[in-house]
């Protein structure tokens, strides 16, 4: 009573639907039969929304805009339903744990920063560790998924924390004055947040702050090295007789 015909990537043209009434028991009944047929035609960007192991993406190539499923965890097919090369649930969970627990490496710089009273830097590292862990836990296919916030929010916070962590680390290495360092901390973080809003995956989101901070660090190191030669070395005196 119901049949579906799926045509992936249909081209712009005139399409025709042909139907045939089949009467296997008595062919004469088909001559007097009246059949009501209802057809429904609709377009979807991705079949079944790509299922739990895929993501529907809009792609643009050579001035053509089309949608396609991006499959994960080894799944394939038009709607990511082919599990011939798929990973098992145990493999997915192991990959998720390895990816998320690797962020515990931030504990070392956090401990060093707290020990040396760089509390702002330690806060930035803790922020980055937290959101990077849960962003990668949410960015997994299938059953090994844990999202404490929306995917977009976790991604933005992870990218922002990564850029801010690089920024504060290089400025800390430059040995700037305390007031100037914290002013640059705040301005740099605001600029990174603005650039992420414009283009989240842009190359200059990381490269721009890094180059600017490296210039500041190099200039401070050059000034400090030049200061070593400002005062001539004291002449060595031989000890005289004691009176």
């Amino acid at each position: 009573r119901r049949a579906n015909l799926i045509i992936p990537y249909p081209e712009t043209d005139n399409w025709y639907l042909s139907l045939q009434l089949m009467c296997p028991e008595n062919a004469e009944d088909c001559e007097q039969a009246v059949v009501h047929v209802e057809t429904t035609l609709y377009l979807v960007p991705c079949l079944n929304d790509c299922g739990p192991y895929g993501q529907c993406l809009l792609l643009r190539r050579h001035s053509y805009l089309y949608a396609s499923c991006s499959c994960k965890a080894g799944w394939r097919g038009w709607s990511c339903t082919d599990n011939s090369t798929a990973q098992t649930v145990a493999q997915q969970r192991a990959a998720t744990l390895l990816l998320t627990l690797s962020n515990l490496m931030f504990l070392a710089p956090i401990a060093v920063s707290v020990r040396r009273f760089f509390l702002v830097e330690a806060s930035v590292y803790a922020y980055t560790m937290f959101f990077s862990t849960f962003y990668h836990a949410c960015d997994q296919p299938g059953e090994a998924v844990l999202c404490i916030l929306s995917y977009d929010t976790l991604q933005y916070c992870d990218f922002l924390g990564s850029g801010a962590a690089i920024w504060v680390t290089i400025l800390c290495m430059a040995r700037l004055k305390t007031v100037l360092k914290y002013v640059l901390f705040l301005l740099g973080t605001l600029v990174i947040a603005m650039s992420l809003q414009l283009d989240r995956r842009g190359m200059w989101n990381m490269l721009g702050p890094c180059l600017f901070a490296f210039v500041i660090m190099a200039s401070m190191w050059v000034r400090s090295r030049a200061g070593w030669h400002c005062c001539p070395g004291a002449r060595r005196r031989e000890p005289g007789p004691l009176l």
Side-chain angles (χ1 to χ4, degrees):
R1 291 183 176 271
R2 183 180 181 88
N4 295 322
L5 177 62
I6 301 173
I7 306 176
Y9 301 111
E11 298 182 359
T12 302
D13 204 343
N14 294 325
W15 291 79
Y16 300 92
L17 178 63
S18 299
L19 301 176
Q20 183 178 4
L21 184 62
M22 304 296 294
C23 299
E25 296 181 357
N26 190 359
E28 297 179 356
D29 295 340
C30 292
E31 299 178 358
Q32 304 296 330
V34 177
V35 179
H36 299 278
V37 179
E38 180 181 356
T39 60
T40 303
L41 178 67
Y42 58 92
L43 297 175
V44 292
C46 296
L47 184 61
N48 298 328
D49 201 21
C50 299
Y53 292 96
Q55 182 181 6
C56 187
L57 300 178
L58 288 177
L59 307 175
R60 182 185 297 273
R61 290 184 180 179
H62 306 293
S63 71
Y64 290 100
L65 181 65
Y66 59 95
S68 177
C69 287
S70 176
C71 302
K72 300 179 181 179
W75 289 74
R76 300 185 301 178
W78 290 110
S79 57
C80 302
T81 55
D82 183 5
N83 61 351
S84 58
T85 60
Q87 299 177 0
T88 63
V89 177
Q91 291 175 334
Q92 297 176 32
R93 292 177 179 175
T96 303
L97 287 176
L98 290 175
L99 185 59
T100 54
L101 294 180
S102 64
N103 290 285
L104 295 178
M105 297 297 294
F106 275 101
L107 292 176
I110 291 174
V112 173
S113 300
V114 172
R115 182 178 179 84
R116 298 189 178 185
F117 299 101
F118 294 142
L119 301 183
V120 175
E121 290 82 351
S123 301
V124 174
Y125 298 150
Y127 175 93
T128 306
M129 180 184 68
F130 178 83
F131 282 104
S132 179
T133 299
F134 286 100
Y135 164 63
H136 289 101
C138 185
D139 191 33
Q140 299 301 314
E143 300 182 7
V145 179
L146 175 62
C147 298
I148 61 173
L149 296 173
S150 65
Y151 177 83
D152 187 72
T153 302
L154 291 173
Q155 185 186 66
Y156 183 84
C157 293
D158 174 59
F159 289 5
L160 177 61
S162 300
I166 297 173
W167 175 251
V168 300
T169 301
I170 299 177
L171 289 182
C172 185
M173 294 171 61
R175 297 180 181 180
L176 300 171
K177 293 183 179 180
T178 304
V179 176
L180 178 60
K181 181 176 71 172
Y182 289 126
V183 169
L184 290 177
F185 278 179
L186 180 59
L187 290 179
T189 304
L190 293 176
V191 172
I192 293 173
M194 180 194 66
S195 62
L196 289 175
Q197 183 65 28
L198 295 176
D199 185 8
R200 190 167 299 181
R201 298 183 180 275
M203 178 182 64
W204 289 100
N205 293 335
M206 296 292 180
L207 188 59
C210 288
L211 290 178
F212 184 72
F214 271 121
V215 170
I216 296 176
M217 184 173 62
S219 62
M220 295 301 297
W221 283 359
V222 169
R223 287 183 57 186
S224 63
R225 187 171 181 83
W228 295 348
H229 303 283
C230 292
C231 301
R235 296 181 180 178
R236 184 177 180 182
R237 296 183 179 181
E238 297 294 335
L242 297 178
L243 299 178

